[in-house]
């Protein structure tokens, strides 16, 4: 789960080491584990859309892409 202590601890440790950590945390969900080779069900897509938005937002100043 995205709110688990281990997730926040890991994110904090990576940020402290200088890694650029995305704002969006991807939760551990069974839908991802079961989706290998097939599309992710709608219930699991929203977080990945937010990850894509985070990445586009970070890359836009570098490559001229508009979000």
């Amino acid at each position: 789960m995205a709110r688990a202590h281990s997730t926040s601890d890991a994110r904090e440790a990576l940020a402290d080491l200088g890694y650029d950590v995305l704002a969006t945390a991807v939760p551990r969900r069974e839908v991802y584990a079961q989706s290998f080779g097939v599309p992710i069900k709608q219930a699991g897509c929203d977080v990945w859309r937010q990850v894509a938005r985070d990445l586009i937002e970070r890359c836009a100043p570098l490559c001229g892409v508009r979000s």
Side-chain angles (χ1 to χ4, degrees):
M1 179 168 236
R3 301 210 191 301
H5 288 289
S6 61
T7 300
S8 61
D9 290 347
R11 292 171 59 80
E12 184 178 332
L14 289 169
D16 289 347
L17 289 170
Y19 287 94
D20 193 9
V21 180
L22 292 176
T24 303
V26 177
R28 293 180 58 182
R29 295 190 57 190
E30 192 62 26
V31 68
Y32 304 135
Q34 294 177 356
S35 67
F36 182 77
V38 297
I40 296 173
K41 296 178 183 176
Q42 186 62 34
C45 289
D46 292 336
V47 71
W48 292 107
R49 284 189 185 99
Q50 188 57 48
V51 167
R53 286 185 200 110
D54 288 349
L55 291 170
I56 290 168
E57 185 177 296
R58 287 175 184 227
C59 293
L62 302 174
C63 61
V65 174
R66 288 186 246 160
S67 55

